[in-house]
Amino acid sequence: MAKVTVEGGRSVEVSAGSPVGEALPPDAVCARVDGRLMDLSWAVPDDGEITVRAVTAAEPDGLHVLRHSTAHVLAQAVCDLYPGAKYAIGPPIEDGFYYDFDVAAAFSPEDLEKIEARMREIAAAGQPFRRRELSRDEALRRFEDQPFKREIIEAAEAAEGALGNRFAVYDNDGWGDLCLGPHLPSTSRLGAFKLLSLAGAYWRGDEKRPQLQRIYGTAWATEEDLEAHLHRLEEAERRDHRRLGKQLDLFSFPDELGAGLLVWHPRGGIFRKAVEDFIREIHMRSGYQPVFTPHIAKSVLWETSGHLAKYRDNMYPAMHDENEVDYYAKPMNCPFHVLIYKSQTRSYRDLPMRLFELGTIYRHERAGSLHGLLRVRGGTQDDSHIICRPDQLVDEVLRAFDLTLEIHRTFGFSDFVINLSTKPGEAIGEERMWADATEYLRTALDRSGLEFSVAEGEGAFYGPKVDFHARDAIGRLWQLTTVQCDFALPERFDMEYMGEDNERHRPVMIHRAILGTIERFSGVLIEHYAGDFPLWLAPEQIRVIPVADRHGEHAEALAGRMRERGLRAAVDNSRERMQKKVREAQLMKIPYSVVVGDRDIEAGTIAVRDREGHEVRGVPPEAFIEAAAEESRERRVMGVDLDGLAG
RNA sequence: GCUGGCGUGGCGCAGUCCGGUAGCGCAAGCGACUUGUAAUCGCUAGGUCGUCGGUUCGAAUCCGACCGCCAGCUCCA
């Protein structure tokens, strides 16, 4: 006999060797024993007492198991329907799971329906997942015709002699998969699932290895959870900046320009200018100096900087000019800023020098990684290089953090995930520099009191960095800010300053971009606000709508007064009905619509409507104009209280 | 870059499987209506069907290349 104590519950006596599941409530999907997740069928050892915790699909670990088992059933269904299919790996992922296959013909969306239907049959059949442990040889024999499984077995053994050379196999109804587990007790316990998409994926993520077909799915404990997730996907779709960019007439990517290259339309231009004006203003206020640099430079600059050696894959090919040297479009602004620094002998009194530029860069990103504004080939960074003495570095990094938080707060972001990224495989500079630079950043982070985690090997090729990821309105994280520490470029460019001791010293450099690129940041803002920009960012802030043609002149006068107060106001004088104009203004997500007709002209009032459809009549025009001008000037995220204006 | 899917007036789509030289809605222009909070009615114009090449009596439709877009290629039994 053995005694099983269920955490937060009672103790049960069970006979030795009986499944731990017998002691657990029926909604358990697996058990946590000594911190390890085990199948419900795991046999209780006969001697002692154990404490176990029931894990249900309502908690992350349980959901993970549920998704893992769903992936397993996906592979089973594929093997049923496509004899000879080779199956590779199928882990649970955030919100779902995937499984990679090698099958003769490409899957089509119709195949997904068939596969999903087969999965439902398997679920309905209630097949138990049975765990067995095999020796290496047995396992190899068991997966004789499954090359990916064989490779996993061989690699696992080479790596760690996993499980002491025992390999777990989960079988249900004759079909089995190599898997550490745990799994659900039965396919009948699968939750609500749906196959979502198809994609290619390299075996082991290596582009030199065979490309497999990946099927993505999502799985949840309940139908309601699944519905909620599908709803979130729709919500993300509704916010898609590429769709909104078109709808709001902000920008476009004409084919004629080339992939990843865009033009900003007038409405997008106003929006972008609002972003840039703010960014310039706050940088000037924070002790940065504006600089301007060209878009191309001779190859020698990129040789010195190390870009041709380490960053060439991301650069556009050279421009050849007969009888002249090659030129390259710049993928970064740093070398130019270095040249500005080096234009004269610098004193320790000149430091820190904070050079700021909205610098346009060109990067030949892989064709398949381009994604609207979020990944472009030509973009403009809010780029700064802070050149300082080593003893100033920590303070300068802290100042950069402060500026980062202030800027993001203004744009409506307040929740961040922060990473300290360390030396990558491809890097320049001595080990010593890397260690020092990383230590400075860590010190600054510690002093800032910000929470952070370390991302090994994720640094830039010239130095370690701190990245800020902002959480948006629907909980997604976006990498925006990067603050990078660089001891290498000052060395390469032989940057110096005269110290107090009348000796030459080497400065250090901080690279930092707070928004990242204006393009990418704009994409994030569009998705964050779903196009409903705060007033100060809205291309058209107020649309004045005359009820009938005869009110046009009055509307124009009103809009004129708004413009005098610095507001971006326009009159809709198209020959449409007023209702149509209201609809139009709302579809264009214009923050405020102002309607004027006979009654207003007579009473000297206006009717104000926000883009959510909230409407207030009888508002004194000056009160509204004043409130809106203030909202815009102060770059508020929240709109004015319309009800408070009604007098 | 790779795998799969897609590309038809400014925008959103049908037509492509089973070749016979294009259709709808919105937007645009014109006319009528002059309207109080999410689409008034009518008329008109607009497309060498991404590009180039091939097959065919004939290609939006079939084949090839290229360009562009979309999903993924990071999560490692």
Side-chain angles (χ1 to χ4, degrees):
Chain A
M1 292 302 281
K3 192 170 150 203
V4 175
T5 304
V6 181
E7 227 175 87
R10 69 250 179 279
S11 294
V12 207
E13 289 271 318
V14 297
S15 49
S18 44
V20 67
E22 283 185 7
L24 299 176
D27 63 339
V29 295
C30 62
R32 183 178 286 286
V33 184
D34 281 342
R36 284 181 59 199
L37 291 179
M38 307 301 277
D39 289 309
L40 293 182
S41 61
W42 177 71
V44 175
D46 58 0
D47 38 7
E49 294 184 23
I50 56 164
T51 302
V52 304
R53 205 167 74 73
V55 177
T56 73
E59 60 195 289
D61 284 340
L63 199 50
H64 214 64
V65 168
L66 178 112
R67 287 168 178 160
H68 196 170
S69 295
T70 313
H72 182 103
V73 170
L74 163 59
Q76 184 181 357
V78 167
C79 290
D80 283 354
L81 295 170
Y82 306 88
K86 307 284 184 271
Y87 47 110
I89 56 168
I93 53 174
E94 194 180 353
D95 296 338
F97 59 90
Y98 68 79
Y99 215 113
D100 288 345
F101 302 96
D102 182 14
V103 291
F107 290 129
S108 69
E110 296 76 63
D111 289 326
L112 282 193
E113 287 173 29
K114 270 166 48 191
I115 294 166
E116 195 176 306
R118 178 66 193 135
M119 287 172 71
R120 296 198 191 287
E121 288 171 18
I122 295 169
Q127 304 169 1
F129 285 90
R130 289 207 179 81
R131 180 188 176 97
R132 283 190 300 145
E133 283 186 15
L134 305 180
S135 70
R136 174 179 183 281
D137 288 342
E138 287 167 332
L140 285 174
R141 221 171 308 127
R142 174 73 172 73
F143 292 103
E144 203 167 25
D145 56 350
Q146 290 296 332
F148 302 110
K149 297 299 171 187
R150 293 173 60 92
E151 188 177 327
I152 290 163
I153 294 164
E154 278 154 9
E157 196 206 22
E160 67 228 75
L163 279 181
N165 265 344
R166 302 295 289 175
F167 290 86
V169 175
Y170 280 80
D171 280 304
N172 51 355
D173 196 40
W175 185 87
D177 196 2
L178 182 70
C179 182
L180 282 174
H183 271 293
L184 300 172
S186 157
T187 59
S188 65
R189 296 288 302 278
L190 291 183
F193 61 87
K194 185 173 167 56
L195 298 184
L196 294 178
S197 62
L198 286 164
Y202 299 105
W203 169 232
R204 301 222 164 231
D206 182 345
E207 63 189 348
K208 293 183 190 65
R209 312 211 52 184
Q211 188 157 34
L212 309 174
Q213 293 192 68
R214 175 170 296 180
I215 297 177
Y216 280 93
T218 186
W220 301 83
T222 65
E223 283 296 332
E224 296 77 70
D225 289 351
L226 173 64
E227 283 305 315
H229 178 248
L230 295 177
H231 186 78
R232 280 195 296 277
L233 292 182
E234 277 171 34
E235 175 63 18
E237 167 109 15
R238 188 180 75 79
R239 290 170 176 264
D240 190 313
H241 74 279
R242 293 166 299 187
R243 176 216 277 285
L244 286 167
K246 214 172 258 179
Q247 185 188 328
L248 304 182
D249 194 19
L250 300 177
F251 55 84
S252 60
F253 286 85
D255 278 4
E256 293 86 339
L257 296 186
L261 301 171
L262 72 144
V263 288
W264 288 89
H265 298 4
R267 284 178 178 275
I270 294 170
F271 158 80
R272 176 171 169 159
K273 180 173 181 296
V275 171
E276 293 188 356
D277 286 350
F278 166 60
I279 287 300
R280 283 217 168 85
E281 179 191 312
I282 195 165
H283 276 83
M284 298 313 103
R285 234 195 297 141
S286 307
Y288 288 79
Q289 299 171 284
V291 296
F292 296 86
T293 67
H295 291 203
I296 61 172
K298 294 196 290 192
S299 55
V300 61
L301 183 73
W302 308 110
E303 279 157 22
T304 307
S305 67
H307 283 88
L308 282 180
K310 301 288 180 191
Y311 205 73
R312 192 175 216 139
D313 288 351
N314 273 317
M315 291 169 70
Y316 271 91
M319 282 170 266
H320 301 288
D321 188 348
E322 261 183 284
N323 307 321
E324 268 209 66
V325 296
D326 286 349
Y327 284 76
Y328 288 90
K330 63 176 171 184
M332 293 187 195
N333 301 301
C334 29
F336 299 83
H337 293 188
V338 169
L339 297 183
I340 293 168
Y341 176 85
K342 285 186 46 150
S343 64
Q344 46 180 279
T345 305
R346 302 293 177 181
S347 148
Y348 70 95
R349 290 196 188 87
D350 296 333
L351 304 181
M353 219 170 129
R354 306 186 192 96
L355 304 180
F356 171 77
E357 175 176 21
L358 289 172
T360 301
I361 56 169
Y362 297 90
R363 293 183 178 178
H364 196 89
E365 302 284 357
R366 290 173 145 218
S369 70
L370 300 173
H371 184 85
L373 291 177
L374 300 179
R375 198 76 171 277
V376 292
R377 283 184 170 166
T380 301
Q381 290 182 318
D382 61 325
D383 206 3
S384 278
H385 295 91
I386 301 163
I387 299 148
C388 62
R389 291 183 264 122
D391 63 284
Q392 296 170 319
L393 200 136
V394 170
D395 278 343
E396 286 302 313
V397 170
L398 280 167
R399 283 178 66 119
F401 290 168
D402 284 345
L403 184 60
T404 297
L405 296 175
E406 183 178 353
I407 287 174
H408 286 316
R409 198 180 320 119
T410 306
F411 283 109
F413 297 106
S414 52
D415 189 5
F416 303 96
V417 170
I418 300 168
N419 281 337
L420 170 60
S421 302
T422 61
K423 187 179 175 191
E426 282 278 287
I428 56 176
E430 315 263 309
E431 214 48 58
R432 178 83 220 145
M433 288 179 181
W434 279 90
D436 287 349
T438 308
E439 213 33 55
Y440 280 120
L441 288 179
R442 186 186 293 275
T443 305
L445 277 167
D446 287 340
R447 244 194 256 169
S448 72
L450 297 165
E451 259 182 65
F452 68 99
S453 38
V454 175
E456 294 292 345
E458 298 292 314
F461 75 81
Y462 48 75
K465 57 178 185 167
V466 174
D467 292 326
F468 285 62
H469 304 251
R471 196 177 294 283
D472 78 0
I474 56 172
R476 299 171 299 182
L477 285 174
W478 302 92
Q479 201 224 293
L480 302 173
T481 301
T482 180
V483 177
Q484 312 178 344
C485 197
D486 182 3
F487 287 58
L489 280 191
E491 191 78 44
R492 288 185 153 257
F493 278 95
D494 196 24
M495 295 163 75
E496 293 178 329
Y497 65 89
M498 294 303 291
E500 221 169 342
D501 55 4
N502 203 28
E503 296 288 326
R504 291 172 188 278
H505 296 275
R506 181 127 297 157
V508 292
M509 193 154 108
I510 300 164
H511 305 240
R512 43 110 297 191
I514 290 175
L515 305 183
T517 65
I518 305 288
E519 284 76 7
R520 180 179 158 77
F521 187 73
S522 299
V524 173
L525 270 185
I526 291 167
E527 304 222 352
H528 177 57
Y529 285 113
D532 293 332
F533 294 123
L535 193 66
W536 71 280
L537 290 169
E540 183 179 337
Q541 298 175 314
I542 301 170
R543 181 167 293 185
V544 183
I545 297 172
V547 171
D549 285 356
R550 65 175 178 279
H551 310 124
E553 223 168 289
H554 183 77
E556 279 298 349
L558 206 49
R561 273 153 68 196
M562 293 169 179
R563 282 187 222 110
E564 276 167 27
R565 304 298 286 276
L567 289 164
R568 299 185 285 270
V571 177
D572 184 348
N573 49 24
S574 64
R575 297 177 47 201
E576 295 290 348
R577 295 178 62 201
M578 182 219 52
Q579 285 86 337
K580 174 76 169 281
K581 297 181 184 186
V582 167
R583 176 182 147 86
E584 204 56 36
Q586 197 146 339
L587 287 176
M588 290 303 283
K589 299 179 177 289
I590 292 163
Y592 299 113
S593 299
V594 166
V595 176
V596 284
D598 291 332
R599 296 208 287 273
D600 291 294
I601 293 175
E602 194 173 331
T605 60
I606 56 176
V608 184
R609 180 193 171 97
D610 68 21
R611 61 194 151 198
E612 276 76 47
H614 185 58
E615 175 206 337
V616 182
R617 305 193 187 191
V619 174
E622 283 313 315
F624 169 71
I625 294 172
E626 185 45 47
E630 188 177 302
E631 178 188 345
S632 177
R633 197 182 333 114
E634 302 197 348
R635 300 192 172 103
R636 292 207 195 126
V637 174
M638 296 299 293
V640 302
D641 169 24
L642 294 183
D643 295 314
L645 294 177

